[in-house]
Amino acid sequence: MREAKIIPVLDLLGGVVVQAIAGNRSAYQPISSVLTSSTEPTIVAEALAHVVGHRTIYVADLDAIAGRTPHTLNLPGFDVWLDAGFITMPQLIPNIVPILSSEASVGPSCMTSEVIVSVDLRNGELVGWPGTPLEYLGTAYHAGARRFIILDVAVVGTNRGPSTLELCQVVKQTYPDVELISGGGVRGRADVQRFTDNGVSAVLVATALHTGVLP
């Protein structure tokens, strides 16, 4: 089995790239990185692309998610997975794949093969939608979605190790044709391998790249 692909994460708040820790967005601060001294999104994205060797990037527009004015993305040449708090199906734009999330309470009518559906957790509990994470994912699957993010924000940036492995394994066994993306708490290459072993094809990483632990 090929090792899961590392997808760098760009968290945007107030026009700069910030360090996400445990989902406590009010406390997020501009990043400190061994890759660049800048917090400007385009410069940080280029630094991340250089170190991972490809130009796919996950962007969380935290202002848009909070209902404020979205950032104007300037990421030429990137394939962007964009979480901007979409509550309905957005207009599709070349090189941008919209992420529709349980946090935004997006219903199944928007869940197609053209989007990535995010199953958002906090300490293992589904955020923004009634029921269990597996029930939400199943609803999206039967509506047509085939690409899923499973992410527990409580472990993001904490260096505590992955917390979604068991759920990822169950999902892959139940829906073997889905593409699974996960992350959170990645401490190094061994954690990337653990995700791979549990059916994950792409791992979202920020802190371990900015500290130089990966790749």
Side-chain angles (χ1 to χ4, degrees), residues 25 65-66 83 100-106 118-120 122 126-129 136 153:
R25 292 171 182 162
I65 290 171
D83 184 352
L100 305 184
S101 69
S102 66
E103 179 184 4
S105 299
V106 177
S118 185
V119 182
D120 302 320
R122 183 177 289 277
L126 184 66
V127 176
W129 194 263
Y136 181 75
V153 297

Side-chain angles (χ1 to χ4, degrees), residues 105-205:
S105 299
V106 177
S109 62
C110 300
M111 297 173 180
T112 71
S113 59
E114 298 175 302
V115 305
I116 300 174
V117 173
S118 185
V119 182
D120 302 320
L121 312 175
R122 183 177 289 277
N123 294 315
E125 299 294 323
L126 184 66
V127 176
W129 194 263
T132 69
L134 196 58
E135 288 170 345
Y136 181 75
L137 189 145
T139 298
Y141 179 88
H142 292 297
R146 291 297 182 269
R147 303 174 77 188
F148 294 92
I149 293 170
I150 298 177
L151 190 67
D152 193 322
V153 297
V155 300
V156 168
T158 64
N159 198 37
R160 284 166 38 191
S163 66
T164 60
L165 297 176
E166 183 177 349
L167 178 57
C168 288
Q169 184 182 62
V170 171
V171 168
K172 197 65 177 177
Q173 289 171 346
T174 308
Y175 305 104
D177 59 328
V178 302
E179 178 183 345
L180 272 188
I181 303 151
S182 193
V186 174
R187 297 163 295 187
R189 183 68 63 184
D191 284 336
V192 175
Q193 186 60 52
R194 293 173 71 197
F195 277 115
T196 305
D197 294 342
N198 285 276
V200 173
S201 60
V203 178
L204 303 176
V205 181

Side-chain angles (χ1 to χ4, degrees), residues 27-89:
Y28 288 2
Q29 297 295 318
I31 60 160
S32 175
S33 176
V34 300
L35 306 179
T36 175
S37 60
S38 177
T39 61
E40 198 279 318
T42 303
I43 295 174
V44 177
E46 290 290 348
L48 290 166
H50 177 75
V51 79
V52 299
H54 62 79
R55 297 180 71 81
T56 300
I57 194 165
Y58 173 107
V59 176
D61 185 338
L62 301 176
D63 288 303
I65 290 171
R68 297 186 291 269
T69 302
H71 289 79
T72 300
L73 291 180
N74 180 27
L75 297 174
F78 279 88
D79 292 318
V80 177
W81 299 353
L82 178 62
D83 184 352
F86 300 116
I87 59 174
T88 59
M89 181 67 175

